[in-house]
Amino acid sequence: MSISKTYQPKQAEDKWYSYWMENGFFRSVPDEREPYTIVIPPPNVTGVLHMGHMLNNTIQDVLIRRARMKGKNACWVPGTDHASIATEAKVVAMLKEKGINKKDLSREEFLEYAFEWKNKYGGIILDQLKKLGASCDWERTRFTMDPDLSEAVIDTFIHLYKKGWIYRGIRMVNWDPQGKTAVSDEEVIRKEVNQKLYYIKYQVSSIKYQDLNAGDANQSNDLILDTNYLTIATTRPETIMADAAICINPNDERYTHLHGKKVLIPLIGREIPVILDEYVTMDFGTGCLKVTPAHDLNDYELGIKHNLPVIDILNDDGTLNEKATILVGEDRFAARKKIAVLLEEAGSLEKVEEYKSQVGYSERTNAVIEPKLSMQWFCKMDEMAGPALDYVLKGDIKLIPEKFTNTYRHWMENVKDWCISRQLWWGQQIPAWYLPNGQHVVAKTVEEALEEANKLQATGSKLQASDLRQDEDVVDTWFSSWLWPISVFDGFKDPNNEEISYYYPTNDLVTAPEILFFWVARMIMAGHEFRGEIPFKNVYLTGIVRDKLGRKMSKSLGNSPDPLDLIEKYGADGVRVGMLLSSPAGNDLMFDEGHCKQGSAFANKIWNAFNLIKGWEVDERLTNPNAVTIQWFNSRFNQALVDIEEQFKQYRLSEALMSTYKLVWDDFCAWYLEMVKPTYQAGVEKQQIDKETYEATIAFFQNILKVLHPFTPFITEELWHDELFGERTAKDCCIVALLPAIGEIDARLIAEIEVVKTVVSEVRNVRNAKQLSPKDKLPLAIKANSGIDHKHYFAILTKLGNLEEVTFTNDKIAGAASFLVGTDEFYIALEQNIDVDAEKIRLSEELVYLQGFLKSIESKLGNERFMQNAKPEIVNNELKKKADAETKITIIKESLSALSA
């Protein structure tokens, strides 16, 4: 069977992905093999594939395919997250287009529309992952609102409530005015923005201007900008109507005369007290702080301390309510602009300055977060955080790279209670029922709630189900996904079932550092609380995909390519290689489309190498002239396997791919094939080769396909089934082929072939420098100073260097082009005389370099600290480098002397 001249990715991808699916290669069921399990970080059901997904899922697929090829029972569980805020926003927008207002629907009607939307659009990203080659067990696909998973959420809520770890209370929360719901601290993205700092004058109400002159003669009145006013600097003038006090530091001498006084809020004239607290920093701003307990967390705590009233002037949608008394109904940002004008007209605005500060944005809607007092449900985290921290610090769970351990420790040691309620309908409804008297009970069903409620009633008084009202809120989406590794295996419904007993704990989790706390840490907490063990053993933390300018890729910046367009252009294998070549764990990936182009070129290199071998034909009469080359590549291949295995153990996937890349491109294609390929014979359809070399080359190529497969699954499967390898059965596929075992390594042979390769390169350099035709055969003489038996490699040197002969010499050859490799000297006698002056310059430059190199080595060996702390093998290596440099310097000096003679 002939194959095309160039690789056609699309044909191979469509064909083999369907074939793998049809033959159940992704399917996993418990058996006697060692399990290897990954649960996918469930993408939002609203999501479409972006570059971060590409990186994350490529890494997961490489790990799962490699485990499968190591004979393990590889199980990759896919699924999606219901994403309460994002999905509800999508559904509300869809309804709006139909002329339907959510407020006009019952909860049940809204959920019908929501599930209709989810069923139509919710699986898009999973289908897109298939284009990438993701080998998930699709029959296991789960959704965080599947009935069993939702039931697990409710059971979990009840369990923690009974332990006293879930409670209800009024707290300051992060409020998303667009989503009209509370969000957790971790869902708030801090951004530095350009703002304005408004200096507002508050009139002192209980002190007359002339009274100041009767004060202490020592008072520094010159520090008071306007003795009849206090000036406050704020970025939020629209909240002054919610002010409850002005706070000054008791040690601030500028404002001693105002202790116990009151001021008037501009525009509305409401009187508020001046309070004293060392919380205020005297050298920041004007040294005065407006205290607005309803709209700032720190102000809220000050308000509790000083027993201040709480005046909430904002509606849930971010508009001003009646308590504001002015600008009622205006959006908060429109009100900010308008109130600035009103303040200026009233003479209460001293000045406005440009100001940069951090502002919180909702991760889900990108709305500016509003601190808001709200009655919410909270989950206590202190007791769960301790064991979850211990698992990581003791090494039971490894964070990769380790640098994230300190971040994790900081978070866990400073953990706050988790606000778990969301003011939405899409999600698991909180299992709490309210009695007519305001009490509440927590139960799984209304029947159980009624039973619990009646226990609270006075004797003889019985409630009906209709008397109870279930809480309208749903639990935070993360309150379902923190159960993911357990719930996908039905570990709540049936805690001792065969699947969770076999697959749990899972092996590796691949995710992003930004969700280390509010997903990874919480899964560890859930694993400990509900199963008494870790949920996974290793957490591989990817970096952020950035553009060449270092900016995070995003649709809003327009700097993020469509991953599917990249696959269409470069093939899935090319994109996978491009992503992985520059993505070390935990470090950001500076993405350049050129990486995908490089990946595509790599696939074509593999294809071309295979086409070359396909053009050979065995001639039984020929003997094998390539025994040394075959021995060398076998050792080099095994050496690469050792490196790759170690790199995978340390989760250095980028390095593992690079080792594979170099093995294939450099060692196999650029050197091995050049060493063994038959001499070209014009007019012959297939080039003749000996049987032993042919069979060894095919065996090498087949093993290379195995090593490549986790990185480039499609091209390897395509080539695996070529007739060159013989007839394959339906199940004899590369995806389930066992990775080659590591064999013997002849380190001496590998090192000596490296010398041979360098000699060949130097011969080619001489040709280029002297502008000699590649067809001209050259003589090579060797003055051997090392212990290498060069005669062993004469055949390789002759073939690759296009040499007419290789001989030994005991003396330097005058007039010949020369070069050093190690301590051995090589001479090429040319018909024309060499340029002596140019050769002197070249040798002098090399001498200067070697003398500098020797000086640095001697400096290192003369460093007492280095000699005391370095390992013996490192010291011995430096000593060897010193001896080699000294030998080379001697040889170059002799050569310079000979040229000068």
Side-chain angles (χ1 to χ4, degrees):
M1 179 183 75
S2 61
I3 61 173
S4 61
K5 186 176 180 181
T6 58
Y7 176 49
Q8 305 296 325
K10 187 168 179 55
Q11 295 176 14
E13 289 161 12
D14 293 343
K15 174 173 65 176
W16 290 114
Y17 201 88
S18 298
Y19 190 86
W20 292 328
M21 290 279 287
E22 289 164 7
N23 284 274
F25 288 122
F26 303 162
R27 183 71 178 130
S28 174
V29 293
D31 60 23
E32 71 286 349
R33 291 176 293 168
E34 176 188 347
Y36 175 83
T37 317
I38 293 178
V39 293
I40 202 170
N44 288 349
V45 73
T46 59
V48 292
L49 198 64
H50 60 59
M51 298 301 286
H53 292 134
M54 289 277 284
L55 174 61
N56 183 284
N57 287 281
T58 295
I59 291 168
Q60 290 177 84
D61 194 51
V62 168
L63 293 173
I64 208 80
R65 285 181 182 272
R66 182 173 167 81
R68 195 180 286 124
M69 296 180 76
K70 295 189 88 170
K72 297 178 182 179
N73 190 346
C75 178
W76 184 9
V77 182
T80 50
D81 188 285
H82 62 275
S84 293
I85 299 174
T87 305
E88 184 145 328
K90 293 274 189 183
V91 176
V92 168
M94 176 194 74
L95 292 172
K96 188 175 181 180
E97 289 179 3
K98 295 182 177 183
I100 302 171
N101 193 316
K102 177 189 170 184
K103 294 178 181 178
D104 298 330
L105 299 176
S106 68
R107 189 185 197 104
E108 291 70 25
E109 289 170 333
F110 177 82
L111 290 177
E112 283 183 17
Y113 281 112
F115 273 106
E116 178 186 328
W117 186 93
K118 179 262 177 187
N119 292 334
K120 186 175 182 179
Y121 300 106
I124 290 175
I125 190 167
L126 297 185
D127 288 334
Q128 290 175 326
L129 287 177
K130 295 174 184 177
K131 295 290 185 183
L132 184 64
S135 55
C136 302
D137 184 348
W138 297 109
E139 293 179 42
R140 291 183 176 276
T141 303
R142 305 305 295 265
F143 174 52
T144 50
M145 278 180 63
D146 284 344
D148 290 345
L149 275 66
S150 287
E151 185 177 6
V153 171
I154 301 306
D155 289 343
T156 299
F157 188 103
I158 296 169
H159 167 86
L160 295 174
Y161 179 80
K162 288 180 177 177
K163 289 189 75 167
W165 290 0
I166 283 181
Y167 64 93
R168 186 169 182 257
I170 297 176
R171 298 286 187 277
M172 182 70 73
V173 298
N174 301 298
W175 186 261
D176 180 340
Q178 185 172 324
K180 296 179 186 175
T181 180
V183 296
S184 66
D185 290 345
E186 297 77 30
E187 292 170 300
V188 177
I189 299 172
R190 309 297 301 183
K191 301 178 185 179
E192 187 176 82
V193 297
N194 293 319
Q195 294 201 93
K196 294 185 184 299
L197 195 60
Y198 300 84
Y199 286 78
I200 303 172
K201 297 192 292 185
Y202 287 64
Q203 185 177 2
V204 180
S205 67
S206 59
I207 182 170
K208 294 180 180 178
Y209 182 83
Q210 58 266 33
D211 289 343
L212 292 171
N213 297 324
D216 188 342
N218 296 321
Q219 184 176 310
S220 301
N221 289 330
D222 58 320
L223 293 177
I224 303 173
L225 299 177
D226 187 333
T227 53
N228 203 28
Y229 290 89
L230 276 181
T231 301
I232 313 294
T234 179
T235 59
R236 304 194 63 196
E238 72 279 9
T239 64
I240 64 172
M241 295 83 78
D243 287 351
I246 298 297
C247 188
I248 58 177
N249 192 301
N251 302 311
D252 194 334
E253 295 182 357
R254 294 174 297 177
Y255 303 120
T256 304
H257 63 285
L258 295 177
H259 292 188
K261 305 302 181 182
K262 294 184 179 182
V263 298
L264 297 175
I265 298 175
L267 301 180
I268 64 172
R270 179 160 53 80
E271 198 173 55
I272 56 175
V274 175
I275 63 171
L276 309 177
D277 200 292
E278 291 186 352
Y279 169 76
V280 178
T281 305
M282 290 187 287
D283 58 358
F284 181 79
T286 64
C288 301
L289 173 73
K290 63 191 287 295
V291 183
T292 315
H295 300 292
D296 183 272
L297 177 58
N298 294 321
D299 289 7
Y300 175 65
E301 292 174 355
L302 267 177
I304 292 174
K305 182 177 178 181
H306 293 274
N307 197 28
L308 298 175
V310 176
I311 306 167
D312 186 349
I313 63 167
L314 290 176
N315 294 314
D316 288 349
D317 63 357
T319 57
L320 273 62
N321 62 30
E322 290 77 8
K323 293 180 182 178
T325 68
I326 60 173
L327 302 175
V328 174
E330 293 281 356
D331 176 78
R332 53 189 170 149
F333 296 119
R336 179 177 300 177
K337 292 180 180 178
K338 290 183 178 181
I339 205 166
V341 174
L342 293 175
L343 287 167
E344 188 167 21
E345 290 174 349
S348 298
L349 187 62
E350 184 175 290
K351 61 179 177 177
V352 180
E353 292 180 345
E354 296 299 319
Y355 183 69
K356 281 190 176 182
S357 66
Q358 293 282 325
V359 175
Y361 286 78
S362 170
E363 181 187 42
R364 300 304 182 196
T365 66
N366 203 37
V368 174
I369 287 296
E370 191 65 50
K372 182 178 176 64
L373 278 174
S374 182
M375 176 68 79
Q376 300 287 343
W377 289 90
F378 295 87
C379 181
K380 294 180 181 178
M381 306 297 282
D382 285 344
E383 291 190 51
M384 288 191 283
L389 176 57
D390 289 342
Y391 281 132
V392 171
L393 296 183
K394 291 177 181 177
D396 298 324
I397 296 174
K398 293 180 181 176
L399 302 184
I400 302 155
E402 290 183 1
K403 68 180 183 181
F404 287 106
T405 301
N406 285 335
T407 304
Y408 180 83
R409 187 208 318 250
H410 174 76
W411 278 337
M412 301 303 276
E413 289 178 343
N414 296 278
V415 70
K416 297 178 181 177
D417 288 355
W418 175 12
C419 177
I420 59 172
S421 48
R422 299 290 181 266
Q423 289 63 58
L424 303 163
W425 281 353
W426 177 247
Q428 291 91 5
Q429 192 172 358
I430 288 175
W433 276 260
Y434 298 98
L435 284 64
N437 64 5
Q439 291 180 292
H440 70 263
V441 293
V442 170
K444 193 167 185 176
T445 65
V446 67
E447 291 79 16
E448 292 177 11
L450 183 60
E451 184 179 342
E452 291 297 317
N454 278 319
K455 291 178 183 178
L456 301 178
Q457 292 299 100
T459 306
S461 175
K462 290 290 183 181
L463 294 171
Q464 302 299 316
S466 58
D467 295 323
L468 302 182
R469 176 180 61 84
Q470 187 174 358
D471 197 307
E472 287 286 310
D473 292 353
V474 298
V475 291
D476 180 13
T477 299
W478 297 104
F479 199 82
S480 58
S481 57
W482 78 321
L483 310 176
W484 186 248
I486 304 173
S487 59
V488 294
F489 297 115
D490 292 327
F492 290 96
K493 183 175 73 173
D494 185 3
N496 298 310
N497 75 77
E498 180 188 18
E499 294 217 330
I500 196 157
S501 299
Y502 180 75
Y503 291 116
Y504 190 94
T506 65
N507 294 77
D508 296 323
L509 178 75
V510 181
T511 190
E514 56 261 34
I515 56 174
L516 177 58
F517 177 70
F518 66 109
W519 189 47
V520 178
R522 287 174 181 163
M523 282 190 289
I524 299 172
M525 294 177 193
H528 179 79
E529 177 63 22
F530 301 111
R531 291 199 67 82
E533 58 182 330
I534 58 176
F536 30 70
K537 296 162 189 169
N538 304 290
V539 181
Y540 181 106
L541 296 157
T542 65
I544 296 171
V545 183
R546 299 185 181 275
D547 64 15
K548 289 185 286 187
L549 299 176
R551 301 174 302 173
K552 183 177 180 179
M553 285 193 165
S554 69
K555 290 182 181 178
S556 60
L557 286 175
N559 64 343
S560 181
D562 185 327
L564 297 181
D565 289 346
L566 291 176
I567 290 174
E568 182 72 25
K569 189 173 182 180
Y570 300 107
D573 289 335
V575 175
R576 289 165 66 109
V577 169
M579 295 293 288
L580 286 173
L581 277 175
S582 51
S583 59
N587 292 321
D588 292 351
L589 183 159
M590 299 299 177
F591 181 78
D592 183 339
E593 195 170 320
H595 297 149
C596 296
K597 188 176 181 180
Q598 182 182 359
S600 177
F602 183 50
N604 281 319
K605 187 72 172 180
I606 298 164
W607 191 263
N608 293 339
F610 188 76
N611 260 328
L612 175 68
I613 298 168
K614 286 271 287 186
W616 299 348
E617 187 174 71
V618 171
D619 185 339
E620 299 279 357
R621 297 167 299 176
L622 297 176
T623 58
N624 175 19
N626 301 306
V628 172
T629 298
I630 292 169
Q631 292 168 15
W632 160 71
F633 188 76
N634 187 58
S635 280
R636 176 68 194 99
F637 181 79
N638 288 322
Q639 184 186 57
L641 289 185
V642 171
D643 293 341
I644 293 165
E645 180 68 26
E646 183 60 28
Q647 286 154 351
F648 267 103
K649 282 181 181 177
Q650 297 182 39
Y651 292 83
R652 300 203 309 263
L653 272 66
S654 182
E655 289 89 337
L657 173 57
M658 184 52 72
S659 292
T660 306
Y661 186 98
K662 289 179 178 177
L663 172 71
V664 176
W665 192 295
D666 296 341
D667 296 308
F668 186 71
C669 296
W671 290 104
Y672 174 81
L673 290 181
E674 291 300 312
M675 290 176 186
V676 303
K677 73 179 183 182
T679 303
Y680 176 73
Q681 296 173 300
V684 177
E685 182 180 349
K686 285 184 175 277
Q687 305 303 311
Q688 306 301 304
I689 194 168
D690 69 279
K691 182 178 181 181
E692 191 174 340
T693 300
Y694 183 73
E695 290 179 348
T697 303
I698 290 173
F700 286 147
F701 200 94
Q702 180 165 276
N703 277 336
I704 283 172
L705 291 180
K706 294 178 185 179
V707 177
L708 279 168
H709 181 82
F711 303 110
T712 56
F714 293 108
I715 190 173
T716 50
E717 195 69 81
E718 176 76 4
L719 294 176
W720 182 266
H721 292 271
D722 189 87
E723 63 186 10
L724 184 70
F725 298 111
E727 191 174 342
R728 303 275 192 199
T729 63
K731 297 286 187 179
D732 183 3
C733 293
C734 195
I735 189 175
V736 288
L738 289 177
L739 287 171
I742 298 171
E744 292 185 7
I745 300 171
D746 187 336
R748 179 196 58 80
L749 178 58
I750 292 172
E752 292 184 356
I753 287 291
E754 285 303 309
V755 170
V756 172
K757 287 158 67 175
T758 304
V759 172
V760 171
S761 296
E762 289 290 348
V763 170
R764 291 171 177 171
N765 288 340
V766 170
R767 283 185 187 278
N768 292 333
K770 306 302 179 185
Q771 297 184 333
L772 301 175
S773 169
K775 297 180 181 178
D776 292 344
K777 292 185 179 293
L778 301 174
L780 180 70
I782 305 171
K783 186 174 185 295
N785 302 311
S786 68
I788 297 176
D789 182 0
H790 289 281
K791 191 176 291 185
H792 203 47
Y793 308 108
F794 273 9
I796 298 173
L797 287 170
T798 301
K799 183 176 184 178
L800 297 189
N802 192 21
L803 304 174
E804 62 181 2
E805 64 175 351
V806 182
T807 57
F808 289 104
T809 180
N810 293 322
D811 303 308
K812 299 182 185 300
I813 300 178
S818 65
F819 55 85
L820 278 172
V821 178
T823 57
D824 293 330
E825 302 168 62
F826 296 84
Y827 298 92
I828 299 175
L830 302 174
E831 292 182 5
Q832 70 269 35
N833 290 328
I834 65 166
D835 185 333
V836 174
D837 291 336
E839 189 68 5
K840 281 183 178 180
I841 291 171
R842 186 184 69 80
L843 289 172
S844 296
E845 288 174 350
E846 189 171 353
L847 179 62
V848 170
Y849 165 76
L850 284 169
Q851 288 171 332
F853 177 74
L854 178 60
K855 187 176 180 181
S856 69
I857 296 295
E858 288 174 336
S859 175
K860 186 181 289 185
L861 291 171
N863 186 314
E864 187 176 340
R865 181 179 295 179
F866 170 78
M867 296 299 288
Q868 287 176 346
N869 298 325
K871 294 179 181 179
E873 57 268 28
I874 293 176
V875 173
N876 290 335
N877 188 46
E878 295 299 318
L879 289 169
K880 183 179 182 304
K881 286 195 278 188
K882 177 177 182 289
D884 287 347
E886 288 171 339
T887 302
K888 288 180 179 180
I889 286 170
T890 300
I891 292 169
I892 289 175
K893 285 181 177 179
E894 290 174 355
S895 297
L896 285 169
S897 296
L899 288 170
S900 300

